[in-house]
C-alpha cells in the first residue's frame, strides 16, 4: 500500500474528529444569547394582517413611536405557553407595548387561545408563512425583540420571558432605551 493510499484512509477519521470538536463546542453555547444581524437596524418592512381581523393590515410603521417588545409566539409552542402568564402580568403593568407576532400558526386556534388565556398584546400580527420571522432571523418561538422608539431593533432574546429574564436582562435595556427616547425628545424641543 502506498503512502498516498494510507493518507486517504485517515480522511474519515479526520472528518469525525473535526465534527466532534464542532459539536463539543456547541455544548457550551447559550442558545438564548443569539446575536442578531439586525441589531442596530430598522425593523424590516412588512405588511401583514392583524391576527383578529383579516382585513386590517399592519405595517412596520405602525410599531414605531415607543420603546416596545415584539414577541414571536405560536399555539404549537410549549415555551410560549410557559411565558404567557408572565406576559399577561407584564402587560398589566403597562410599562411598554408588547406586540405579538403569531408565527407559523393557524389563525383560529391562536385567536381562541388568546380569548381563553388572555391577550397580553397591544397588537397581534399574523405571520402565517413566517416571512417576517425569516426576515428577522427567528429560529423558533418564543423569541422577543426590543425595538426603540424609532423602530430600530436593539436587542434579541431567544426563549421564554419570565420574571428573571425581565428583571435581569430586558428591563435594564428598556429603561436605557426609554431614557434615550426622553433625551431625544428634550433635545428636539430645545
Amino acid at each position: 500500500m502506498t503512502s498516498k493510499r494510507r493518507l486517504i484512509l485517515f480522511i474519515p477519521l479526520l472528518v469525525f474528529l473535526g465534527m466532534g470538536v464542532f459539536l463539543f463546542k456547541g455544548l457550551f453555547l447559550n442558545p438564548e444569547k443569539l446575536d442578531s444581524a439586525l441589531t442596530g437596524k430598522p425593523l424590516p418592512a412588512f405588511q401583514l394582517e392583524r391576527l383578529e381581523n383579516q382585513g386590517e393590515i399592519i405595517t412596520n410603521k405602525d410599531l414605531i413611536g415607543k420603546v416596545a417588545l415584539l414577541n414571536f409566539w405560536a399555539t404549537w409552542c410549549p415555551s410560549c405557553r410557559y411565558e404567557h402568564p408572565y406576559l399577561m402580568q407584564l402587560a398589566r403593568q403597562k410599562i411598554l407595548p408588547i406586540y405579538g407576532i403569531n408565527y407559523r400558526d393557524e389563525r383560529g386556534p391562536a385567536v381562541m387561545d388568546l380569548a381563553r388565556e388572555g391577550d397580553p398584546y397591544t397588537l397581534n400580527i399574523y405571520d402565517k408563512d413566517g416571512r417576517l420571522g425569516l426576515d428577522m432571523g427567528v429560529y423558533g418561538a418564543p423569541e422577543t425583540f426590543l425595538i426603540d422608539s424609532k423602530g430600530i431593533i436593539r436587542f434579541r432574546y431567544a426563549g421564554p420571558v419570565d420574571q428573571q429574564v425581565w428583571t435581569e436582562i430586558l428591563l435594564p435595556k428598556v429603561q436605557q432605551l426609554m431614557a434615550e427616547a426622553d433625551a431625544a425628545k428634550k433635545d428636539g424641543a430645545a
Side-chain angles (χ1 to χ4, degrees):
M1 187 178 284
T2 65
S3 62
K4 190 174 182 179
R5 289 186 121 201
R6 285 186 189 152
L7 284 175
I8 291 174
L9 293 175
F10 283 103
I11 290 175
L13 177 62
L14 293 174
V15 169
F16 176 77
L17 289 175
M19 288 179 59
V21 168
F22 178 76
L23 294 173
F24 183 76
K25 185 179 174 186
L27 292 174
F28 299 100
L29 296 176
N30 184 348
E32 295 173 348
K33 293 185 177 179
L34 296 173
D35 290 332
S36 174
L38 294 179
T39 301
K41 295 183 178 172
L43 194 61
F46 68 87
Q47 289 187 341
L48 293 170
E49 294 177 348
R50 187 175 185 143
L51 177 66
E52 302 87 351
N53 183 355
Q54 293 182 21
E56 187 177 347
I57 301 297
I58 309 295
T59 74
N60 53 306
K61 294 176 184 172
D62 294 317
L63 309 186
I64 295 174
K66 292 183 177 178
V67 175
L69 289 182
L70 269 65
N71 178 254
F72 283 81
W73 68 280
T75 57
W76 47 261
C77 162
S79 296
C80 299
R81 292 190 184 282
Y82 167 78
E83 80 171 354
H84 190 83
Y86 188 73
L87 291 179
M88 290 296 296
Q89 182 181 336
L90 192 57
R92 282 190 291 272
Q93 295 175 30
K94 299 182 188 254
I95 297 170
L96 75 170
I98 305 172
Y99 299 120
I101 302 174
N102 184 245
Y103 179 66
R104 294 182 179 230
D105 207 351
E106 295 298 323
R107 186 187 303 263
V111 171
M112 286 187 345
D113 262 17
L114 291 176
R116 185 177 51 247
E117 304 295 329
D119 186 352
Y121 302 111
T122 305
L123 189 64
N124 257 305
I125 300 163
Y126 187 45
D127 189 18
K128 178 180 173 62
D129 299 324
R131 183 70 201 167
L132 178 57
L134 183 67
D135 289 346
M136 293 188 68
V138 170
Y139 288 92
E143 282 196 31
T144 301
F145 291 81
L146 182 57
I147 60 170
D148 67 17
S149 60
K150 297 176 183 169
I152 306 296
I153 297 168
R154 300 292 292 266
F155 185 72
R156 171 187 186 183
Y157 182 79
V161 174
D162 59 14
Q163 179 69 50
Q164 183 177 3
V165 168
W166 173 253
T167 304
E168 296 177 6
I169 299 172
L170 294 174
L171 182 58
K173 295 179 187 311
V174 167
Q175 290 170 332
Q176 176 190 344
L177 293 179
M178 288 181 166
E180 288 176 16
D182 288 344
K185 280 183 189 173
K186 288 178 185 173
D187 288 346

